[in-house]
């Protein structure tokens, strides 16, 4: 008997087994932290709405295999349309609007979409900047359509049946194209199969012991799409999802308390902001059973602060992974605060925990070139820093329309499987835990030694005036120099920069890792990625540092 891997099949299953359970709570327009108002939709309602949308989309040619850009704000339409696209077998293309006009145009040209579903503002931008002009044929708007096309509400009026049968999909059938954040170059479209999504859901369920009936507050919209597969209710917060670091903490804390949320997902920048507010106002959120934060390493000080808002024994988990593969490893805040934090402060990297059960993880020697075939002699001994490589069902096989990027990232195995090169450096300790040492592309090679970002930066980050630091390479007179850029805590802004730099040099001299670093620069505010507001754009910092030193 063939198995249907269509990720959308979870929604009608939940609608059949728990039809009246709320699937999503969505804040109404005009709601505020003081007066929270929500529209709530059951699993039955969400499934029926997505069925009607699926039938409407199929009627205008958006069907199996049609690559479809979705630019809709988080709300009922976003979730229903996403499941509708999966149900008809179309291939949704997810791109963060905050990537910038130039990157958006590049991403859409590479994805070669045939259909575009969006709010009027997205369609206006599409027309102004020529997004997907060569390949787009079908246009659907959630309002008045600039330039002509279909109006979603009018299409739905023609659909009188709430029934729709999901198109069966195989394990390797393409499900979606998810673009990376572009924090280390141009964003790339990771090609997801339905099998990848199913494996992700199973891994999340197993690692975090999530039970049906739980309440989830996700602050990254795509993460909310896992909720129906896990049998959870999603509470969508009122926030600008492109700026999680600027969130109003009350818009997170309020819904958690109101709906007694059991799970919360947030970027490190959001976690830090809520932790600061929560400590200051003595907030407690006893309903939470777990907090999950991903996108970049979470500083131990932030974990410590946020832990004070939780019930005893509740942990903040920091899964390691990437758009191409998630989750890969996971570790809880208790282990970090009780054991690994001190080693991080000494420059030993950030512990990201044990690989999850469904992942085969290896550390291989550092090489910037493609590696065509896997061999055992690539693997390093425990304790040696190399590139993290992973193999498993949740690992995507390729990038769409980027054969060179695919060749750089994948290593073919003799049995037909493959390893994905994470582009991250790290090592395995004697207990089997993985320690993250930074991006491969960000290491600084001077010709006589290698400097890795995370170990070096951790030493500078121990200074109380430092919010975060970034190691960058600057070429001066033909020599590559390791340079540390520093962003200050608010409390450190009043300190003399000359005095602070002198203190940081004394700190650097105490450690062999950082002793050779002579150039330290104070930066007003680091440029960071749009998705998590946490990944530092080091290329921009390096260009700035070059100007300062010249």
């Amino acid at each position: 008997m063939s198995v249907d891997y269509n990720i959308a099949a979870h929604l009608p299953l939940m609608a059949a087994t728990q039809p009246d359970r709320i699937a999503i709570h969505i804040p109404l327009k005009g709601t505020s932290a003081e007066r929270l108002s929500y529209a709530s939709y059951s699993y039955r309602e969400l499934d029926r709405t997505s069925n009607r949308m699926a039938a409407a989309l199929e009627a205008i040619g958006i069907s199996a295999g049609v690559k479809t850009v979705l630019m809709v704000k988080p709300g009922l339409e976003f979730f229903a349309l996403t499941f509708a696209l999966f149900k008809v077998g179309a291939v949704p293309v997810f791109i963060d609007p905050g990537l910038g006009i130039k990157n958006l145009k590049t991403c859409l040209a590479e994805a070669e979409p045939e259909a575009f579903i969006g709010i009027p503002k997205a369609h206006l931008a599409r027309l102004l900047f020529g997004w997907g002009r060569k390949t787009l044929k079908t246009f659907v708007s959630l309002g008045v359509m600039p330039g002509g096309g279909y109006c979603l509400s009018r299409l739905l009026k023609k659909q009188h049946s709430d029934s729709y049968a999901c198109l069966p999909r195989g394990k390797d059938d393409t499900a979606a194209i998810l673009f990376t954040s572009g924090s280390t170059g141009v964003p790339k479209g990771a090609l997801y199969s339905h099998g990848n999504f199913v494996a992700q859901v199973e891994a999340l369920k197993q690692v975090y012991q999530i039970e049906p009936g739980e309440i989830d507050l996700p602050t990254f919209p795509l993460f909310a799409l896992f909720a129906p597969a896990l049998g959870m209710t999603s509470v969508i917060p009122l926030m600008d999802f492109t700026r999680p670091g600027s969130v109003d903490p009350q818009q997170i804390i309020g819904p958690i308390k109101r709906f007694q949320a059991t799970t919360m997902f947030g970027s490190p920048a959001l976690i830090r902001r809520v932790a600061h507010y929560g400590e200051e106002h003595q907030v407690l959120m006893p309903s939470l059973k777990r907090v999950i934060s991903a996108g970049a390493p979470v500083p131990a000080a932030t974990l410590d602060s946020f832990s004070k808002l939780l019930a005893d024994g509740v942990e903040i988990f920091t899964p390691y992974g990437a758009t191409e593969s998630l989750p890969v490893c996971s570790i809880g805040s208790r282990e970090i605060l009780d054991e690994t934090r001190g080693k991080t402060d000494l420059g030993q990297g950030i512990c990201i925990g044990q690989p999850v059960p469904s992942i085969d993880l290896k550390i291989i020697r550092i090489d910037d070139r493609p590696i065509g075939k896997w061999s055992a002699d690539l693997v390093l001994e425990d304790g040696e820093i190399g590139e993290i490589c992973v193999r498993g069902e949740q690992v995507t096989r390729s990038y769409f329309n980027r054969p060179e990027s695919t060749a750089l990232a994948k290593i073919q195995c003799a049995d037909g499987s493959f390893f994905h090169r994470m582009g991250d450096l790290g090592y395995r300790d004697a207990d089997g835990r993985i320690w993250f040492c930074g991006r491969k592309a960000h290491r600084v090679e001077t010709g006589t030694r290698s400097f890795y970002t995370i170990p070096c930066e951790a030493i500078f980050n121990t200074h109380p005036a430092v919010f975060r630091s970034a190691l960058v390479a600057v070429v001066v007179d033909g020599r590559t120099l390791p340079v540390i850029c520093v962003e200050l805590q608010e409390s450190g802004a009043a300190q003399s920069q000359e005095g602070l730099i002198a203190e940081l040099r004394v700190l650097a001299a105490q450690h062999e890792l950082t002793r050779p670093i002579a150039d330290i620069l104070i930066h007003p505010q680091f440029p960071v990625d749009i998705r998590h507001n946490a990944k530092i754009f080091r290329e921009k910092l390096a260009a700035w540092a070059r100007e300062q030193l010249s």
Side-chain angles (χ1 to χ4, degrees):
M1 184 178 72
S2 62
V3 178
D4 182 9
Y5 280 85
N6 193 325
I7 189 64
H10 288 284
L11 181 55
L13 177 63
M14 290 298 165
T17 56
Q18 46 183 34
D20 298 320
R21 183 178 295 283
I22 298 300
I24 45 174
H25 297 287
I26 296 170
L28 292 171
K29 198 171 184 179
T31 193
S32 65
E34 294 74 29
R35 187 181 176 184
L36 293 165
S37 300
Y38 289 81
S40 301
Y41 302 92
S42 68
Y43 271 105
R44 181 194 288 116
E45 290 172 310
L46 179 59
D47 185 46
R48 287 178 175 177
T49 302
S50 76
N51 282 343
R52 292 179 65 220
M53 289 183 177
L57 296 178
E58 191 173 50
I60 61 171
I62 300 178
S63 55
V66 175
K67 295 190 291 296
T68 307
V69 176
L70 188 62
M71 285 196 178
V72 177
K73 291 182 178 180
L76 175 64
E77 292 87 357
F78 172 78
F79 296 103
L81 279 167
T82 301
F83 280 104
L85 289 168
F86 286 141
K87 284 179 177 181
V88 302
V91 179
V93 179
F94 296 109
I95 311 171
D96 277 337
L99 289 177
I101 299 300
K102 184 179 178 182
N103 278 337
L104 278 169
K105 188 171 184 177
T106 301
C107 292
L108 286 168
E110 285 185 4
E112 298 177 342
E114 300 149 83
F116 191 108
I117 303 174
I119 58 175
K121 187 177 178 181
H123 282 287
L124 183 59
R126 171 183 61 77
L127 290 168
L128 284 174
F129 301 110
W131 297 342
R133 186 176 290 160
K134 292 182 179 179
T135 59
L136 286 172
K137 299 171 185 173
T138 307
F139 309 96
V140 180
S141 179
L142 273 64
V144 178
M145 167 68 81
Y150 297 99
C151 175
L152 181 64
S153 60
R154 290 178 184 171
L155 289 175
L156 292 177
K157 286 179 182 177
K158 300 177 183 178
Q159 300 302 322
H160 304 292
S161 173
D162 291 334
S163 299
Y164 187 90
C166 277
L167 182 70
R169 297 279 82 185
K171 179 179 174 182
D172 296 323
D173 285 337
T174 300
I177 298 173
L178 274 63
F179 275 85
T180 62
S181 64
S183 57
T184 53
V186 177
K188 301 182 288 291
L191 207 55
Y192 264 73
S193 69
H194 283 273
N196 291 145
F197 278 129
V198 169
Q200 279 189 335
V201 169
E202 288 305 313
L204 291 169
K205 187 187 299 184
Q206 180 181 9
V207 173
Y208 299 116
Q209 301 178 339
I210 297 171
E211 299 288 339
E214 292 200 38
I215 313 294
D216 179 38
L217 187 133
T219 61
F220 181 47
L222 283 178
F223 201 83
L225 296 174
F226 288 119
L230 296 166
M232 304 174 81
T233 295
S234 289
V235 181
I236 307 304
L238 187 68
M239 62 177 284
D240 182 347
F241 290 93
T242 67
R243 292 177 175 82
S246 302
V247 72
D248 178 355
Q250 295 179 77
Q251 294 288 8
I252 302 300
I253 295 164
I256 287 173
K257 289 189 169 186
R258 174 170 172 172
F259 295 102
Q260 293 294 288
T262 57
T263 299
M264 170 190 168
F265 176 88
S267 78
L270 182 142
I271 295 290
R272 178 178 182 268
R273 189 167 175 86
V274 174
H276 180 75
Y277 177 92
E279 269 202 290
E280 187 177 331
H281 294 84
Q282 297 183 319
V283 170
L284 291 176
M285 297 181 285
S287 67
L288 287 172
K289 295 181 178 180
R290 69 189 71 77
V291 176
I292 301 171
S293 184
V298 185
T302 298
L303 295 176
D304 192 20
S305 295
F306 203 97
S307 294
K308 294 171 184 174
L309 316 183
L310 307 173
D312 290 344
V314 175
E315 292 198 73
I316 304 151
F317 294 97
T318 54
Y320 164 76
T323 305
E324 299 90 338
S325 176
L326 182 76
V328 169
C329 296
S330 186
I331 188 171
S333 52
R334 189 180 303 120
E335 186 174 1
I336 293 172
L337 296 174
D338 292 349
E339 186 180 345
T340 68
R341 175 186 197 169
K343 295 178 180 179
T344 295
D345 290 346
L346 292 173
Q348 296 183 30
I350 293 175
C351 187
I352 53 177
Q354 301 275 354
V356 301
S358 53
I359 280 288
D360 178 14
L361 186 150
K362 307 291 185 188
I363 306 293
I364 68 168
R365 64 174 182 263
I366 299 172
D367 193 333
D368 294 315
R369 300 164 300 180
I371 301 174
K373 295 188 181 299
W374 179 263
S375 65
D377 61 6
L378 292 170
V379 181
L380 299 177
E381 298 291 331
D382 288 355
E384 291 187 80
I385 295 177
E387 184 173 8
I388 300 170
C389 289
V390 296
R391 176 171 60 173
E393 293 295 329
Q394 65 259 50
V395 183
T396 56
R397 180 173 290 277
S398 64
Y399 298 110
F400 187 74
N401 263 354
R402 276 191 168 261
E404 291 181 2
S405 296
T406 299
L408 273 171
K410 312 298 177 182
I411 308 175
Q412 196 66 42
C413 300
D415 63 0
S417 65
F418 64 94
F419 274 93
H420 171 71
R421 303 167 72 179
M422 296 292 289
D424 290 330
L425 302 178
Y427 64 92
R428 192 191 304 268
D429 69 14
D431 296 318
R433 297 177 303 191
I434 308 303
W435 293 72
F436 173 63
C437 296
R439 294 289 291 170
K440 181 174 69 172
H442 294 154
R443 74 190 191 280
V444 178
E445 300 282 1
T446 65
T448 56
R449 64 174 293 175
S450 301
F451 294 85
Y452 305 116
T453 55
I454 297 299
C456 292
E457 293 162 6
I459 290 167
F460 291 96
N461 292 346
T462 60
H463 192 289
V466 174
F467 168 38
R468 55 188 166 190
S469 61
L471 174 73
V472 298
V474 176
V475 178
V476 177
D477 297 329
R479 294 185 303 125
T480 301
L481 304 178
V483 177
I484 283 285
C485 299
V486 171
E487 183 180 346
L488 301 180
Q489 302 274 14
E490 289 182 14
S491 58
Q495 186 174 350
S496 158
Q497 288 198 5
E498 292 79 6
L500 175 59
I501 289 172
E503 291 176 15
L504 291 173
R505 284 191 175 128
V506 170
L507 181 62
Q510 296 170 9
H511 300 270
E512 194 276 331
L513 275 178
T514 52
R515 198 170 294 135
I517 300 175
D519 294 296
I520 301 171
L521 303 171
I522 308 297
H523 190 280
Q525 187 175 29
F526 284 0
V528 294
D529 72 297
I530 197 72
R531 181 172 295 172
H532 302 292
N533 293 178
K535 294 179 181 177
I536 301 165
F537 283 120
R538 295 167 193 272
E539 289 80 4
K540 292 181 180 179
L541 269 187
W544 172 84
R546 192 178 304 115
E547 290 178 4
Q548 305 306 304
L549 293 178
S550 63

